[in-house]
Amino acid sequence: MTSTAPNTPEPQAIPAPGWPAAPTVTPFDPHAATPAQRLAVGQLLADAFAHTHPDDPALLPETEAVGLTHQLPTERSAHYAVWDGERALAWGSLSYDLTQNTHMAHLRLTVHPTARRQGLGRAVLTRLLTHADELGRGTLTFGTSSRSPAGETFATTLGAQPALPMRQSRLDLTALDHDLLSRWQARPDSEPFHLHLWQRVPDDYLTRVADMMMVMNTAPKGDLEQQDWTITPDMIRSWEAMIEEANETRFMMAVEDTRTGILDAYSEVFWMPERAALVYQGATAVRPSARGQGLGKWVKAAMLSHVLHACPGARWVQTNNANENAPMLGINVALGFTPYSTFTEWQLKRG
């Protein structure tokens, strides 16, 4: 669910001597594959990440292999791979939902660093695009990072448009302004708001959390032709099961208005003991009707204070902000988040 494996397409060139002119691309079903086959693709994702993020905690091939099977009951995916014996040289997936945004699908594509510029990525992508056309998914999205600059060039050659540019930032936890955290967490004794901390959402809050999470539909979408997503309690439980299976820890904080029981703000982070140094900031949102009361600052500061003692070994917190999301970007800058890279969500129109 929160895999950080790169999904950046790489440019291709004329195959070098010794490489096949037409790579053999085969369908790959993670659910029917053997554990060794899933692990081979997981190793490919881990190797590609190490190539672009050499200073970061390494991805675990076993965890990436597990993530290949993760999807909601309403989601489907098609996978293709290029193999060299038992070793995966390239892999790509096309993911889509059967009930929402049925005009769209999301692409991922990874080629092993030692096998790039040989036509493998282009061959896998051709199969993915053909599959999307057969499904009638005419709007395709994928992401590129400045950590792998060739991806942006390749996206442009495909005719894709940079629909949602984002700033990827990191916060050095050793340089936190603790006085600022204290100020942002100071609340009037008489106020009606209560702060919750959960790893698993309690049953009696499931519906309210689903409603709160849909506030993310108000976040900037740039030029993405994406309709609002509906979140359900069953989806939350499915996500929690996937997080647990991946041996990942998710902390969620939510602000409740005790007068109404409505959740007016929330924030979540993801952390793995095996990759302890890096914490990933997930969504943070404040209900439009509750903005201007410092709830976003409160929940962000409280979460960072919690991370300091609940995530031993954590050094950095990483987050993405749409360039046009000035309010949340301003909060993060005030906390000490500094630019790390850029990430762009691209949109490719077919047909």
Side-chain angles (χ1 to χ4, degrees), residues 95-117:
S95 303
Y96 52 96
D97 194 281
L98 298 178
T99 61
Q100 303 187 63
N101 281 293
T102 55
H103 63 297
M104 301 185 74
H106 186 74
L107 295 167
R108 289 184 64 191
L109 177 62
T110 300
V111 179
H112 197 277
T114 62
R116 293 176 179 173
R117 304 188 66 81

Side-chain angles (χ1 to χ4, degrees), residues 55 58 76 87 119 140 171 186 203 234 255 288 295:
D55 299 325
R76 297 293 183 271
R87 180 179 176 229
L140 306 179
L171 170 66
D203 289 341
D234 287 342
V255 176
L295 301 185

Side-chain angles (χ1 to χ4, degrees), residues 56 152 163 174 219 232 268 280-281 303 346:
D56 281 5
E152 295 183 358
T174 66
T232 67
E268 57 185 353
Y280 290 94
Q281 171 73 61
M303 181 64 82
W346 295 78

Side-chain angles (χ1 to χ4, degrees), residues 70-77 96-98 229 239 242:
H70 285 172
Q71 62 185 26
L72 296 173
T74 61
E75 292 176 333
R76 297 293 183 271
S77 60
Y96 52 96
D97 194 281
L98 298 178
W229 289 97
W239 286 328
M242 288 185 274

Side-chain angles (χ1 to χ4, degrees), residues 126-154:
T126 298
R127 294 292 296 271
L128 293 172
L129 295 179
T130 300
H131 200 115
D133 292 343
E134 292 171 351
L135 293 171
R137 303 281 169 153
T139 301
L140 306 179
T141 62
F142 59 91
T144 65
S145 168
S146 60
R147 304 286 296 187
S148 185
E152 295 183 358
T153 302
F154 190 42

Side-chain angles (χ1 to χ4, degrees), residues 1-338:
M1 178 178 171
T2 59
S3 170
T4 55
N7 52 17
T8 305
E10 291 291 335
Q12 309 301 329
I14 299 173
W19 287 84
T24 300
V25 180
T26 57
F28 171 72
D29 182 353
H31 298 277
T34 66
Q37 290 170 329
R38 285 194 296 272
L39 185 61
V41 176
Q43 186 67 58
L44 163 63
L45 297 175
D47 290 348
F49 182 82
H51 180 72
T52 54
H53 298 75
D55 299 325
D56 281 5
L59 291 183
L60 305 179
E62 298 81 3
T63 301
E64 298 306 304
V66 168
L68 295 172
T69 63
H70 285 172
Q71 62 185 26
L72 296 173
T74 61
E75 292 176 333
R76 297 293 183 271
S77 60
H79 301 249
Y80 293 91
V82 176
W83 298 88
D84 177 19
E86 298 180 353
R87 180 179 176 229
L89 295 181
W91 163 86
S93 69
L94 177 80
S95 303
Y96 52 96
D97 194 281
L98 298 178
T99 61
Q100 303 187 63
N101 281 293
T102 55
H103 63 297
M104 301 185 74
H106 186 74
L107 295 167
R108 289 184 64 191
L109 177 62
T110 300
V111 179
H112 197 277
T114 62
R116 293 176 179 173
R117 304 188 66 81
Q118 310 299 333
L120 278 65
R122 177 76 65 178
V124 173
L125 180 63
T126 298
R127 294 292 296 271
L128 293 172
L129 295 179
T130 300
H131 200 115
D133 292 343
E134 292 171 351
L135 293 171
R137 303 281 169 153
T139 301
L140 306 179
T141 62
F142 59 91
T144 65
S145 168
S146 60
R147 304 286 296 187
S148 185
E152 295 183 358
T153 302
F154 190 42
T156 302
T157 66
L158 291 175
Q161 299 299 315
L164 186 62
M166 287 177 273
R167 180 177 117 165
Q168 195 169 75
S169 305
R170 283 192 175 180
L171 170 66
D172 183 351
L173 289 172
T174 66
L176 263 177
D177 184 341
H178 294 274
D179 289 338
L180 178 66
L181 294 188
S182 297
R183 292 197 303 272
W184 283 10
Q185 293 180 78
R187 306 294 300 183
D189 292 337
S190 60
E191 79 165 6
F193 296 112
H194 176 73
L195 185 65
H196 296 278
L197 171 64
W198 300 311
Q199 287 184 248
R200 178 180 173 84
V201 177
D203 289 341
D204 56 342
Y205 277 91
L206 264 178
T207 300
R208 282 178 278 179
V209 168
D211 178 70
M212 180 65 237
M213 294 180 76
M214 284 189 285
V215 173
M216 285 301 296
N217 285 319
T218 68
K221 297 184 178 71
D223 294 326
L224 290 174
E225 297 179 7
Q226 176 180 294
Q227 301 160 2
D228 287 353
W229 289 97
T230 297
I231 308 297
T232 67
D234 287 342
M235 292 168 71
I236 294 173
R237 286 292 184 244
S238 294
W239 286 328
E240 289 175 338
M242 288 185 274
I243 290 168
E244 182 178 355
E245 186 178 20
N247 196 33
E248 192 170 31
T249 299
R250 188 276 308 271
F251 294 114
M252 172 183 283
M253 284 187 170
V255 176
E256 179 183 355
D257 186 332
T258 58
R259 297 168 298 185
T260 62
I262 294 175
L263 301 179
D264 278 333
Y266 85 106
S267 186
E268 57 185 353
V269 299
F270 300 86
W271 176 75
M272 294 180 65
E274 296 85 355
R275 307 181 69 237
L278 197 53
V279 178
Y280 290 94
Q281 171 73 61
T284 299
V286 179
R287 199 177 293 278
S289 60
R291 291 172 185 170
Q293 302 179 76
L295 301 185
K297 292 180 177 179
W298 180 20
V299 74
K300 289 278 288 190
M303 181 64 82
L304 288 174
S305 295
H306 180 70
V307 163
L308 289 175
H309 74 265
C311 303
R315 171 66 189 274
W316 304 94
V317 179
Q318 180 169 305
T319 189
N320 288 355
N321 288 111
N323 291 349
E324 60 188 88
N325 191 352
M328 189 54 64
L329 187 58
I331 288 177
N332 286 334
V333 169
L335 286 168
F337 282 87
T338 58

